[in-house]
Amino acid sequence: MPGELASRDRVVGVKQARRAVMQGAARAVYLASDADPRLTEPLRELCRAQDVPCDGSMTLQQLGRACGIAVPAAAVAVLNG
């Protein structure tokens, strides 16, 4: 699954991921395990409500690297299609 993070069909960031989940465009969401829970927990709850799989096994640094970006990432949504 983390291999799909390098694809172009993804958005990075809590706000963008939340928007993708709310619009029904997210296939899966990855949340950094060491990110501030005040940021990630509302998105995790939204994923549960929308029945979107949510993975929290990577750190901020690992998630950023998996996406091919030079900065840490708290949330990434893999898009449909």
Side-chain angles (χ1 to χ4, degrees), residues 34-73:
D34 57 345
D36 187 342
R38 291 177 291 182
L39 295 174
T40 58
E41 281 308 310
L43 182 53
R44 188 182 306 275
E45 290 298 321
L46 180 61
C47 287
R48 281 189 197 118
Q50 298 290 332
D51 202 29
V52 174
C54 188
D55 182 311
S57 63
M58 289 189 273
T59 66
L60 287 158
Q61 294 295 331
Q62 290 170 331
L63 200 49
R65 263 188 255 117
C67 291
I69 60 176
V71 295

